[in-house]
Amino acid sequence: MHKVVAFKRPVTPAPDVPMQGYVIRNFTPNWFATTMGTGILSVALAQFPGHPWLFAMGQALWLFNILLFATCTTLYTARWLLYFHEASRVFSHSVVSMFFGCIPMGLATIINGFLIYGIPHIGDTAVAIATTLWWIDVTLSLACGLAIPFMMFTRQSHSIDQMTAVWLLPIVASEVAAVSGGLLLPHIADAQTQLTVLMTSLVLWACSVPLAMSVLVILFLRMAVHKLPHVNMAASSWLALGPIGTGALGLLVMSQTGPAVLSANGLASVAPAFGGASFLGAILLWGYGIWWLATAVLITLRYLREGLPFNIGWWGYTFPLGVFAVATLRLSTMVPMSSIAIFGAVLVTALVCMWLLVAAKTIKGTLDRSLFVSPCLKAD
């Protein structure tokens, strides 16, 4: 079954493939999860205005993430150019194809970084770069959200007993782009362009969150009937928190930025209702996320009894936790409850610890090349 063998062991290079090409030949979109986890940590560290040293650390991490994303893009592009036939097999694989969603999600964290860290240094140029990258991200997100499910319906083999939360990855990319759109709104001067970005962000949110919620219903049923996935997919238990945290964050951001955009475009009568409905929806999603957060912790503790073998999928522990932490901190600025801010700080602390652990193991696995695994290739 794909789910069991997906990250089992590296594929031995064929005799006619030079060793120096091994990394490129086995480079998969899974690696873009490293940019998601690193990027969300850089964003989370910027949420503490009273601690400039955290802002400086987040900025350094954002710059590193740009380099990381560029490296992953170069290696994966090289694979398509040098090993096109092998690379194209990804569309038929029921697990690896899901990770295409990591590409636009990783890019979204860089866009957010331009708005957080870039503007103080390069001003309007950062906004222009972020705007251009955002439209690229929108295109990639919608493409993943449509193309990968269509592949699931037509080319791939799936079953409920083998389902995991990785089904969410191509779907969630659109709502991540929606959050970036909401953050971009205050930096756009033209009112009509603002309305275009707002409407696009709302459509992106609608193309993602309801569908993700339906997948979570099926996931709940799958785990109740067939129990937990194989230990190699342990990190996927955290992925359910991703669309919930991102959906809540998107609504919080748009509840703050959307009403002014609507008012500037002759829609002042609906602006208060829009802000209130978005805020209420965000709180409900955030509360729902607490249940999945607690469940993910319990499931992880259960997996620890069996031992958790490291694989690149461990980056799945970082982004969902990070986006829920950022949503919590954003909520704390809108609701006068210190407990929410404290909870958010605890989540960011946990995120830092997890990122350090996963990054260290990733460096080790990169150096010995044990993490370069392409399940789409048949082992010799």
Side-chain angles (χ1 to χ4, degrees), residues 10 13 18-23 364-373:
M19 289 301 292
Q20 61 266 30
Y22 179 71
V23 170
K364 180 179 181 298
T366 300
L367 294 176
D368 63 21
R369 297 192 301 179
S370 62
L371 288 181
F372 293 100
V373 182

Side-chain angles (χ1 to χ4, degrees), residues 232-310:
N232 282 336
M233 301 298 292
S236 67
S237 60
W238 286 80
L239 297 182
L241 191 61
I244 299 171
T246 308
L249 179 59
L251 290 179
L252 287 172
V253 170
M254 284 187 277
S255 72
Q256 292 179 308
T257 60
V261 174
L262 294 173
S263 297
N265 284 274
L267 297 169
S269 61
V270 300
F274 176 86
S278 298
F279 179 66
L280 177 60
I283 292 178
L284 295 178
L285 277 176
W286 180 77
Y288 181 35
I290 291 177
W291 186 90
W292 276 103
L293 172 64
T295 300
V297 171
L298 292 174
I299 290 175
T300 302
L301 292 175
R302 172 63 181 269
Y303 276 123
L304 284 173
R305 292 166 49 183
E306 306 176 35
L308 283 174
F310 180 74

Side-chain angles (χ1 to χ4, degrees), residues 41 238 300 308 310 314-319 321 347-362:
L41 178 57
W238 286 80
T300 302
L308 283 174
F310 180 74
W314 273 40
W315 284 96
Y317 290 114
T318 57
F319 185 82
L321 176 61
L347 292 176
V348 173
T349 301
L351 173 63
V352 170
C353 295
M354 181 56 67
W355 185 88
L356 289 172
L357 173 64
V358 177
K361 288 182 174 293
T362 301

Side-chain angles (χ1 to χ4, degrees), residues 14-29:
D16 59 336
V17 177
M19 289 301 292
Q20 61 266 30
Y22 179 71
V23 170
I24 294 177
R25 185 182 182 229
N26 289 276
F27 198 85
T28 63

